[in-house]
Short mmCIF file of all heavy atoms in Angstrom, two decimals:
data_model
loop_
_atom_site.label_atom_id
_atom_site.label_comp_id
_atom_site.label_asym_id
_atom_site.label_seq_id
_atom_site.Cartn_x
_atom_site.Cartn_y
_atom_site.Cartn_z
N LEU W 339 87.48 87.13 69.50
CA LEU W 339 86.51 88.23 69.36
C LEU W 339 85.97 88.29 67.93
O LEU W 339 84.77 88.44 67.72
CB LEU W 339 87.18 89.56 69.72
CG LEU W 339 87.45 89.81 71.20
CD1 LEU W 339 88.36 91.01 71.38
CD2 LEU W 339 86.15 89.98 71.96
N ASP W 340 86.86 88.18 66.95
CA ASP W 340 86.44 88.22 65.55
C ASP W 340 85.48 87.08 65.22
O ASP W 340 84.49 87.28 64.52
CB ASP W 340 87.65 88.17 64.62
CG ASP W 340 88.45 89.46 64.63
OD1 ASP W 340 87.92 90.50 65.09
OD2 ASP W 340 89.63 89.43 64.19
N PHE W 341 85.79 85.88 65.73
CA PHE W 341 84.92 84.74 65.45
C PHE W 341 83.57 84.92 66.13
O PHE W 341 82.53 84.56 65.56
CB PHE W 341 85.57 83.42 65.88
CG PHE W 341 84.81 82.21 65.40
CD1 PHE W 341 84.89 81.81 64.08
CD2 PHE W 341 84.01 81.49 66.27
CE1 PHE W 341 84.19 80.71 63.63
CE2 PHE W 341 83.30 80.40 65.83
CZ PHE W 341 83.38 80.00 64.50
N TRP W 342 83.56 85.49 67.32
CA TRP W 342 82.30 85.74 68.05
C TRP W 342 81.40 86.65 67.21
O TRP W 342 80.21 86.39 67.07
CB TRP W 342 82.62 86.36 69.40
CG TRP W 342 81.43 86.67 70.25
CD1 TRP W 342 80.71 85.79 71.00
CD2 TRP W 342 80.84 87.95 70.46
NE1 TRP W 342 79.69 86.45 71.66
CE2 TRP W 342 79.75 87.78 71.34
CE3 TRP W 342 81.10 89.23 69.98
CZ2 TRP W 342 78.95 88.84 71.75
CZ3 TRP W 342 80.30 90.28 70.40
CH2 TRP W 342 79.24 90.08 71.27
N VAL W 343 81.98 87.70 66.65
CA VAL W 343 81.21 88.63 65.81
C VAL W 343 80.72 87.91 64.55
O VAL W 343 79.58 88.08 64.12
CB VAL W 343 82.07 89.87 65.44
CG1 VAL W 343 81.39 90.71 64.38
CG2 VAL W 343 82.35 90.70 66.69
N LYS W 344 81.58 87.08 63.99
CA LYS W 344 81.27 86.38 62.73
C LYS W 344 80.07 85.43 62.87
O LYS W 344 79.27 85.32 61.94
CB LYS W 344 82.51 85.59 62.30
CG LYS W 344 82.37 84.81 61.03
CD LYS W 344 83.69 84.10 60.72
CE LYS W 344 83.54 83.16 59.56
NZ LYS W 344 84.80 82.45 59.27
N ILE W 345 79.94 84.78 64.01
CA ILE W 345 78.87 83.78 64.17
C ILE W 345 77.59 84.36 64.77
O ILE W 345 76.59 83.64 64.90
CB ILE W 345 79.34 82.57 65.00
CG1 ILE W 345 79.78 82.99 66.41
CG2 ILE W 345 80.44 81.82 64.28
CD1 ILE W 345 80.14 81.84 67.33
N GLN W 346 77.60 85.63 65.10
CA GLN W 346 76.41 86.25 65.69
C GLN W 346 75.38 86.54 64.60
O GLN W 346 75.71 87.01 63.52
CB GLN W 346 76.81 87.54 66.40
CG GLN W 346 75.71 88.14 67.22
CD GLN W 346 76.21 89.35 68.02
OE1 GLN W 346 77.01 90.12 67.55
NE2 GLN W 346 75.71 89.47 69.24
N HIS W 347 74.11 86.25 64.89
CA HIS W 347 73.02 86.56 63.96
C HIS W 347 72.72 88.06 63.98
O HIS W 347 73.12 88.77 64.91
CB HIS W 347 71.75 85.78 64.35
CG HIS W 347 71.90 84.29 64.26
ND1 HIS W 347 72.12 83.63 63.07
CD2 HIS W 347 71.87 83.34 65.22
CE1 HIS W 347 72.22 82.32 63.30
NE2 HIS W 347 72.06 82.12 64.61
N GLU W 348 72.02 88.53 62.99
CA GLU W 348 71.69 89.96 62.88
C GLU W 348 70.93 90.49 64.09
O GLU W 348 71.08 91.65 64.46
CB GLU W 348 70.89 90.23 61.61
CG GLU W 348 71.72 90.29 60.37
CD GLU W 348 70.91 90.70 59.16
OE1 GLU W 348 69.82 91.29 59.31
OE2 GLU W 348 71.37 90.41 58.05
N ASP W 349 70.12 89.64 64.72
CA ASP W 349 69.35 90.09 65.89
C ASP W 349 70.15 90.00 67.19
O ASP W 349 69.63 90.26 68.26
CB ASP W 349 68.04 89.31 66.01
CG ASP W 349 68.24 87.82 66.27
OD1 ASP W 349 69.40 87.37 66.35
OD2 ASP W 349 67.23 87.10 66.39
N GLY W 350 71.44 89.64 67.09
CA GLY W 350 72.30 89.57 68.26
C GLY W 350 72.37 88.21 68.92
O GLY W 350 73.17 87.99 69.81
N SER W 351 71.54 87.29 68.49
CA SER W 351 71.51 85.96 69.08
C SER W 351 72.56 85.06 68.44
O SER W 351 73.25 85.45 67.50
CB SER W 351 70.12 85.34 68.91
OG SER W 351 69.86 85.10 67.54
#
Side-chain angles (χ1 to χ4, degrees):
L339 287 168
D340 288 343
F341 189 76
W342 180 79
V343 170
K344 180 179 172 181
I345 60 175
Q346 189 174 37
H347 297 295
E348 281 186 20
D349 64 359
S351 66

